[in-house]
Amino acid sequence: MNLFGASDLAPFEQLSALLLSLRAEICLFLVAVAVHLLLFRLPRGSVPRKASVSTKKAKVASADDGDQGSARDLASQPEASGTSLIHLVDSMHRSKQDNSAILLEIEASLQRHLGQEERMRAVNDLLSVLSRRQDFDFADKVVRLLPAVGLQPDSQTYEILLNMQFMSRNYQSVARIVGRMKAEGVPFTTRSSVILLKVALKQDKFAEAKIHFRELSAVISKRVGEATSSPSAAPKNIILQMVECACLDRQLENLLPELTGMPLTEEVIQLMLSECLRCKDQALAQKVEKLARDQKFPLSDAMYALLVRNLANEPRLVEEIYAEVLERGSMMSPELVLAFLSFCSLTGLASFADKLFENCHPTQPAVLSHFIRFYAENHQYEKACDLYEKHSRSLGTDLKLERSVMNASMSCGRTELAKRLLDSGPSDVSKHIAMMRNCAASKNLQGVFAVFQALQDTGGDISSVVYNTVLDACVECHDMRAAEEWMEKTKLAGHLDVVTYNTMIKAHLHSGNFEKARALMEEMAAAGLQPNRVTFNELVNALVGKGGAGGQKKIWGIIDEMQAVGMRPNQVTCSILLKALDVRSAPEDVEKTMGLIRSMEEPMDEVLLSSVVEACVRIGKPEFLSMKLKELHANDKVKICGSHTFGSLIKAYGFAKDVAGVWSCWGEMRSRHIRPTSITLGCMVEAVVHNGDTEGGYELIHQMQEDENCRSALNSVIYCSVLKGFAREKNLERVFAVYKEMQERQLDFSTVTYNTIIDACARCGRVDYLPAILEDMQKNRIRPNVITFSTMLKGHCQTGDIQKGFAILEQMKKEAGLKPDEIMYNSILDGCAKQRRLNDAVRVLDEMKAANVRPSNYTVSILVKLLGNDRHLARAFDLVEDVKTQYGIKPNIQVYTCLVQACINNHRLDRALALHDTVAADVSCNVDEKFYAVLVRGCLQLKKPLLAVDVVRAAYMLPCSRLALSVQRRSKPVGMEMRVLQDLLLRLQGGSQLEREAQQDLVAKLERLGVDVRVRNAEQ
């Protein structure tokens, strides 16, 4: 029976048809629901939190909000770990959350977990990451959060905190952390003790460092043999720093027991032996030798040489060393041979020298020269002459050696050899120039003319240099009439040049005849010769010295004239102008001078910067030094956002030696998550290294290597900063460790890299490494430049092989086609000075002038030392005045110090004291402790202790009757080197009644100034 009618079935049929037509869509919907439940269903029994729902919505909304959601998810995990906290902090940093919000999330995360050790481990892991990132500010906030979650810092926490403060060189904070650890009874980890040892060493606190070193001795002994390049785990370097600190405090003997049984490096032993030699402590040298031999340390030639020099007063011990060296069977190095020969010279043991010569068969020119001079000085004239004739071809030109041989040949009647030496260079222009200068120095002007005539008769090449040498002699002999006549003769010979006119201009300016000097400039222009900077600078310098308001107008007239001919003022011009500025200078003169400095073609160097600083102090504007810092960082409202700006600030603070400012800028940049560029990182490493913390710079490089965000910023230039630091410290072992690391990381090498390594070898006297380094340069297709040759030359000169130095000079000019610069000439001059080869030095100076290479104060100081040692005091003073007048180079305090030492060497204490008054009256000359120390030592050497008391009074700006006080305005007096002051006080204490009274009076006055003058007895 049909219960429904047709009309009742119609709706169901329609619905059925509709569902049938939508079956595909319905199936897809059901599949989607199933997949959703399969992939995103919640764990059974869990209830979705509002935070999770909001997080999912936020993920759909934006990526940043997604980071916030991830942070909350991490914070809600049931167990905390270091990784989760780190991800939490990173996620919230990416979402631009501030530190307070991040700390609240960290606190919430830590409060949700029960395990005390797990929570503390998580916090330490987070702090470790923050330390590597150098986010010190946020790390400190995390530590302050610990009590709120029921946690206390443990040993690992304090280790991380100590390391952070050490990295930022905040030693006061290190001390505070140590105090907290001791108060809370928290034990020190091994790494914490290492950090405290490093802090003590950085502060030169030997007693404190010794305590930590003793505690760590077992650990250091264990690690010292391990191969590692990490600066934080470098016990070898810690031992070296301990020894350096002990040497600085004269506590080496107290340190030796701590080194017993501890493997030592050759560098450490050489450093200790060098300190013994410096202190002339033979007994201590024997203890160092015993320490090395007890450890069965193989002694190198360099160590044997130091031992021989230390034990020179004990012939028996030296002969034992000699027998030991012969027994090993290897050839002696030149350094060791010269040490033995020095012992022979000291003791006069010619028989020992004979044995030495027979056994070593020397071929090096430097060694042969020493043997020949030894025999000549010890009256073995025949032997000296025979040795010279046998090796004369390999010896080359050595004027000092030739003088010795000539004296020997005349003494033993070998007139033929003497004649050959006299006739060896009849047309040698440099020899004749040297002879002319010698005659001029002794005011023998007729002798100068005679030498010139002799050179002319031989047909030698007489150039303008020779004519100018004679003109210099006329000026030096103060014969202006002869000078004017010679200038006419030079004009007829066609050898007039700019140097000729400058010499005459200088002479007229020196005699105060400014009008004649100006007339010569006009004549110079009429002759078609363009005045150079030396000409203008001489005029400006003369007017500055004259002073007066009218002089200022003339000075700026000369500057305008100089610029009119297209010649911009150089560093010398600006330095001369800065000398004229003082508190009375008109504002427009100050502004003009500073404007010239800004418009200079040459970059500002340290010398000019120093002149600017001194001028700013004199005119009452010390802020000029920090002008760039004020532009970038003076206003606290200025927001620095660029890495490059931070790099500029770091570089400026580093140059100003403000280490705290350097680390403050770096810490601020890192805490704000500004990624450093290569330039910024390079500025930071250079600033740290430049301020004497090379290990700190190297540690920073390794920290950046571990940071994947900063690793790409490292390059070879940054590594070179560390290389240069270790080279300056003469730490050759670390230099090659850095070099090896650079090779392993396949960094690009440059000439600078190899020059730095060559410089390190030269400083350490290891010129035997140079061939291998040059071979590496050739493999990398890097050509040596002037600096390369100059550094090699310096190394050979320092080891006493001056002939090799001259050979390198010629090789560079002929083979490489390069021209020597001032630094290279200074190196060869320094080599001549060490071997007291005055004629060679004069020849080099003439070559400098001929090559138009401008000398510097360093050049002058070398020559002054040499002239002083050879008893040519008058020539030393004339040289300083000549350079000052000819080149406008005013002597600095180093030159004055060398002049004082020359006076003392020549027993002219009166002239040294007069020179002190000259320096004291010069407001622009920065007197230092060394200047006064040299004067005090000279007074003691010449048995004038009471005069030394007056020198100390002057150093501390105390009234004294025999010396003038400095006119410089200082916040505190220059003072005196403490070692020298102690020597003087001890000398006075053991002297006469008058001297003891002077000592007591001096001590009382110095103590009122706050100077520690406790007299240490001889045992101390």
Side-chain angles (χ1 to χ4, degrees):
M1 184 181 214
N2 190 3
L3 300 178
F4 301 98
S7 59
D8 295 327
L9 292 174
F12 291 101
E13 291 177 354
Q14 292 175 1
L15 179 62
S16 175
L18 179 62
L19 292 173
L20 185 64
S21 63
L22 295 175
R23 64 182 181 278
E25 287 79 357
I26 294 171
C27 290
L28 287 174
F29 173 75
L30 293 174
V31 169
V33 171
V35 171
H36 176 78
L37 292 175
L38 179 64
L39 295 178
F40 302 104
R41 72 180 183 275
L42 294 169
R44 184 174 299 174
S46 65
V47 179
R49 296 180 181 177
K50 293 181 180 180
S52 301
V53 174
S54 63
T55 299
K56 293 174 183 177
K57 291 179 180 179
K59 286 182 178 179
V60 176
S62 69
D64 286 344
D65 291 338
D67 285 335
Q68 296 177 33
S70 299
R72 295 190 185 96
D73 287 341
L74 289 167
S76 66
Q77 290 180 2
E79 291 190 4
S81 68
T83 305
S84 64
L85 288 181
I86 294 164
H87 289 333
L88 169 66
V89 172
D90 288 344
S91 178
M92 296 191 72
H93 272 313
R94 287 195 297 271
S95 63
K96 310 299 182 183
Q97 295 292 309
D98 59 17
N99 287 343
S100 58
I102 299 173
L103 290 170
L104 287 174
E105 289 291 346
I106 293 174
E107 181 180 358
S109 177
L110 291 173
Q111 287 176 339
R112 274 189 282 268
H113 312 300
L114 301 176
Q116 186 86 357
E117 293 184 2
E118 289 79 4
R119 290 194 296 164
M120 200 64 238
R121 189 181 304 114
V123 171
N124 288 337
D125 289 343
L126 174 60
L127 290 175
S128 181
V129 171
L130 294 174
S131 173
R132 287 197 297 271
R133 294 177 180 175
Q134 299 187 358
D135 195 348
F136 301 153
D137 181 62
F138 188 71
D140 183 60
K141 292 176 181 177
V142 171
V143 174
R144 294 180 184 179
L145 177 68
L146 295 181
V149 294
L151 297 176
Q152 291 296 328
D154 58 11
S155 296
Q156 184 68 22
T157 312
Y158 280 120
E159 176 189 307
I160 296 168
L161 294 177
L162 284 171
N163 188 51
M164 284 194 295
Q165 299 304 329
F166 172 69
M167 286 163 53
S168 61
R169 301 307 184 255
N170 192 341
Y171 301 135
Q172 291 182 346
S173 295
V174 170
R176 286 195 293 269
I177 293 172
V178 171
R180 284 165 53 191
M181 291 180 72
K182 291 180 178 179
E184 297 171 7
V186 179
F188 291 91
T189 64
T190 301
R191 179 165 175 77
S192 296
S193 298
V194 171
I195 292 170
L196 294 180
L197 173 58
K198 289 183 177 181
V199 170
L201 289 172
K202 291 295 181 186
Q203 295 179 298
D204 292 330
K205 296 181 178 179
F206 174 75
E208 184 179 333
K210 184 181 175 182
I211 295 172
H212 297 301
F213 185 76
R214 183 179 297 151
E215 294 171 352
L216 289 168
S217 58
V219 178
I220 295 176
S221 297
K222 181 179 178 181
R223 293 186 181 179
V224 77
E226 297 176 0
T228 175
S229 62
S230 173
S232 61
K236 290 183 179 180
N237 194 57
I238 290 177
I239 296 173
L240 177 62
Q241 290 183 29
M242 272 300 300
V243 174
E244 288 175 342
C245 186
C247 293
L248 186 64
D249 281 10
R250 294 191 175 183
Q251 296 289 336
L252 180 58
E253 189 168 6
N254 292 333
L255 179 65
L256 286 183
E258 308 298 332
L259 301 177
T260 302
M262 186 173 293
L264 304 175
T265 63
E266 179 180 347
E267 185 177 5
V268 169
I269 296 177
Q270 286 190 29
L271 176 60
M272 291 191 289
L273 289 173
S274 298
E275 173 66 10
C276 297
L277 184 61
R278 188 180 69 81
C279 297
K280 299 179 181 179
D281 194 334
Q282 179 180 316
L284 184 58
Q286 289 178 280
K287 291 180 181 179
V288 174
E289 179 189 8
K290 184 178 184 303
L291 179 66
R293 292 186 184 275
D294 286 347
Q295 297 188 16
K296 298 182 180 179
F297 194 92
L299 301 183
S300 64
D301 277 14
M303 294 166 63
Y304 276 124
L306 285 169
L307 276 174
V308 169
R309 295 185 186 279
N310 272 293
L311 306 176
N313 293 323
E314 292 288 343
R316 180 183 58 83
L317 297 177
V318 174
E319 289 182 1
E320 288 178 2
I321 293 174
Y322 180 68
E324 182 180 331
V325 171
L326 290 181
E327 187 177 350
R328 71 181 184 179
S330 58
M331 185 174 292
M332 298 184 208
S333 68
E335 180 182 7
L336 180 55
V337 174
L338 292 178
F340 280 123
L341 194 55
S342 176
F343 161 73
C344 296
S345 299
L346 183 66
T347 58
L349 294 175
S351 58
F352 191 98
D354 293 338
K355 290 191 298 183
L356 179 65
F357 186 84
E358 291 174 3
N359 286 314
C360 68
H361 300 291
T363 57
Q364 300 89 347
V367 179
L368 285 169
S369 297
H370 277 79
F371 269 105
I372 294 170
R373 287 201 295 271
F374 170 79
Y375 287 130
E377 291 167 3
N378 284 272
H379 310 294
Q380 297 194 18
Y381 304 123
E382 289 284 355
K383 193 171 290 187
C385 294
D386 290 341
L387 197 56
Y388 177 80
E389 288 195 303
K390 183 178 180 181
H391 298 280
S392 57
R393 291 185 178 180
S394 62
L395 288 171
T397 303
D398 185 342
L399 297 180
K400 186 175 181 180
L401 176 64
E402 288 180 359
R403 281 202 305 270
S404 297
V405 176
M406 188 178 299
N407 291 334
S409 60
M410 295 296 291
S411 299
C412 64
R414 297 176 68 161
T415 54
E416 291 184 2
L417 175 59
K419 188 175 184 304
R420 285 203 307 272
L421 288 170
L422 289 171
D423 297 340
S424 60
S427 59
D428 190 335
V429 177
S430 61
K431 284 186 178 180
H432 285 77
I433 289 176
M435 291 173 66
M436 291 179 194
R437 293 193 174 277
N438 287 335
C439 292
S442 59
K443 307 303 180 187
N444 183 9
L445 187 56
Q446 295 304 316
V448 174
F449 292 139
V451 173
F452 177 85
Q453 188 61 46
L455 178 62
Q456 196 173 42
D457 293 341
T458 61
D461 182 19
I462 301 180
S463 63
S464 58
V465 175
V466 180
Y467 278 95
N468 289 335
T469 301
V470 179
L471 184 61
D472 275 331
C474 296
V475 173
E476 189 173 354
C477 293
H478 307 293
D479 192 337
M480 290 303 298
R481 181 177 179 182
E484 291 172 351
E485 291 175 355
W486 187 261
M487 188 171 179
E488 288 297 323
K489 186 174 182 179
T490 305
K491 182 178 181 180
L492 292 173
H495 287 294
L496 277 180
D497 59 10
V498 176
V499 176
T500 312
Y501 279 104
N502 283 345
T503 303
M504 287 300 296
I505 289 171
K506 177 186 70 174
H508 287 304
L509 291 174
H510 187 71
S511 59
N513 199 334
F514 188 79
E515 289 71 20
K516 280 194 174 183
R518 291 294 287 173
L520 276 176
M521 284 189 66
E522 295 176 3
E523 181 183 332
M524 188 177 181
L529 295 173
Q530 176 67 49
N532 58 16
R533 285 188 175 91
V534 175
T535 315
F536 288 110
N537 288 341
E538 288 290 349
L539 291 171
V540 173
N541 190 52
L543 290 172
V544 167
K546 187 178 180 180
Q552 283 291 331
K553 292 181 181 179
K554 290 182 179 179
I555 287 172
W556 291 114
I558 293 172
I559 298 297
D560 292 340
E561 182 180 343
M562 187 177 184
Q563 292 175 323
V565 296
M567 194 175 298
R568 288 186 179 182
N570 61 0
Q571 294 176 353
V572 176
T573 315
C574 295
S575 296
I576 296 170
L577 291 171
L578 286 167
K579 290 189 302 182
L581 298 180
D582 55 27
V583 69
R584 299 182 299 274
S585 298
E588 54 269 22
D589 290 335
V590 175
E591 183 57 35
K592 282 183 181 180
T593 304
M594 299 306 173
L596 281 178
I597 294 172
R598 289 191 292 268
S599 67
M600 268 195 327
E601 292 178 340
E602 302 169 314
M604 180 181 289
D605 61 6
E606 293 183 11
V607 176
L608 182 56
L609 181 61
S610 177
S611 300
V612 171
V613 172
E614 293 167 7
C616 289
V617 172
R618 289 197 304 272
I619 63 178
K621 292 185 178 180
E623 69 276 5
F624 184 79
L625 175 62
S626 56
M627 181 179 60
K628 291 297 181 183
L629 295 176
K630 287 192 174 184
E631 290 178 2
L632 297 173
H633 221 183
N635 192 343
D636 293 337
K637 297 179 181 179
V638 177
K639 184 85 170 173
I640 301 174
C641 301
S643 176
H644 177 75
T645 307
F646 273 107
S648 299
L649 280 170
I650 289 167
K651 185 176 181 181
Y653 279 119
F655 188 82
K657 298 190 180 299
D658 186 351
V659 180
V662 169
W663 285 104
S664 175
C665 280
W666 178 257
E668 182 181 348
M669 184 187 74
R670 297 291 287 157
S671 65
R672 288 167 55 186
H673 306 286
I674 298 175
R675 183 181 301 178
T677 63
S678 295
I679 295 175
T680 307
L681 182 54
C683 290
M684 182 62 192
V685 173
E686 177 63 27
V688 173
V689 172
H690 178 72
N691 284 279
D693 191 5
T694 307
E695 284 294 342
Y698 199 21
E699 285 180 7
L700 185 60
I701 287 177
H702 282 270
Q703 290 161 12
M704 295 298 100
Q705 195 70 46
E706 294 174 3
D707 190 335
E708 60 182 11
N709 293 323
C710 301
R711 191 177 301 151
S712 60
L714 290 169
N715 55 33
S716 60
V717 176
I718 297 172
Y719 273 90
C720 270
S721 294
V722 176
L723 275 177
K724 291 175 182 176
F726 285 130
R728 286 192 293 267
E729 295 171 5
K730 299 183 180 180
N731 195 339
L732 196 57
E733 183 178 355
R734 298 296 275 165
V735 167
F736 280 103
V738 177
Y739 178 48
K740 182 179 179 181
E741 182 177 330
M742 293 175 71
Q743 289 176 318
E744 291 171 352
R745 299 194 185 281
Q746 297 182 346
L747 297 174
D748 293 331
F749 289 91
S750 65
T751 311
V752 176
T753 309
Y754 285 106
N755 286 348
T756 304
I757 298 171
I758 291 172
D759 180 58
C761 296
R763 289 172 184 265
C764 297
R766 298 310 303 265
V767 292
D768 51 315
Y769 288 172
L770 297 184
I773 297 171
L774 291 173
E775 186 177 345
D776 279 359
M777 289 184 71
Q778 190 173 6
K779 287 180 182 177
N780 288 305
R781 297 182 179 180
I782 295 175
R783 296 184 61 184
N785 58 12
V786 173
I787 298 175
T788 313
F789 286 105
S790 178
T791 310
M792 291 192 297
L793 181 148
K794 178 181 70 174
H796 286 291
C797 289
Q798 287 177 344
T799 57
D801 194 352
I802 189 71
Q803 292 301 327
K804 183 67 175 177
F806 280 112
I808 289 175
L809 189 66
E810 293 303 317
Q811 177 189 356
M812 186 193 76
K813 290 189 289 187
K814 293 180 180 178
E815 297 180 11
L818 299 172
K819 294 182 179 180
D821 59 6
E822 181 226 328
I823 296 175
M824 197 165 191
Y825 280 119
N826 285 344
S827 297
I828 199 76
L829 282 172
D830 193 43
C832 294
K834 288 179 179 178
Q835 296 191 15
R836 301 182 69 169
R837 299 169 67 156
L838 179 58
N839 291 332
D840 278 349
V842 173
R843 177 169 59 84
V844 171
L845 182 62
D846 291 334
E847 185 177 328
M848 284 183 71
K849 290 186 176 181
N852 291 324
V853 177
R854 179 184 177 79
S856 65
N857 267 320
Y858 182 66
T859 315
V860 177
S861 65
I862 295 172
L863 291 168
V864 167
K865 288 179 188 176
L866 182 54
L867 290 166
N869 290 335
D870 273 16
R871 302 292 190 270
H872 293 293
L873 184 59
R875 287 183 64 186
F877 275 89
D878 290 342
L879 172 69
V880 173
E881 188 62 32
D882 181 65
V883 172
K884 177 182 176 182
T885 306
Q886 184 172 353
Y887 295 99
I889 300 175
K890 184 175 181 179
N892 59 14
I893 192 60
Q894 285 75 30
V895 174
Y896 282 124
T897 303
C898 293
L899 277 175
V900 167
Q901 186 63 61
C903 293
I904 293 167
N905 291 343
N906 288 269
H907 299 278
R908 290 297 306 275
L909 186 57
D910 57 328
R911 197 160 185 181
L913 296 176
L915 189 62
H916 166 272
D917 290 350
T918 301
V919 174
D922 189 350
V923 72
S924 64
C925 188
N926 284 326
V927 187
D928 57 14
E929 288 183 345
K930 187 174 182 180
F931 177 80
Y932 283 111
V934 170
L935 261 178
V936 169
R937 287 197 189 100
C939 293
L940 293 178
Q941 178 184 333
L942 299 176
K943 303 185 187 310
K944 300 290 184 181
L946 292 178
L947 271 177
V949 172
D950 272 350
V951 175
V952 174
R953 287 173 176 272
Y956 286 97
M957 297 296 290
L958 296 171
C960 56
S961 58
R962 285 174 283 193
L963 290 175
L965 298 182
S966 175
V967 298
Q968 286 189 335
R969 291 172 295 173
R970 296 177 177 271
S971 58
K972 61 179 183 179
V974 174
M976 174 68 58
E977 291 181 5
M978 192 52 61
R979 292 180 181 179
V980 179
L981 182 57
Q982 289 291 333
D983 290 343
L984 171 61
L985 294 177
L986 285 171
R987 175 74 172 272
L988 293 170
Q989 193 176 54
S992 64
Q993 178 65 28
L994 185 61
E995 290 172 354
R996 289 196 297 272
E997 291 174 357
Q999 188 243 29
Q1000 293 170 2
D1001 179 67
L1002 181 61
V1003 168
K1005 285 183 169 58
L1006 292 178
E1007 284 179 342
R1008 282 198 291 271
L1009 293 176
V1011 182
D1012 181 12
V1013 289
R1014 289 173 294 177
V1015 182
R1016 296 171 174 84
N1017 57 37
E1019 292 180 359
Q1020 288 178 316

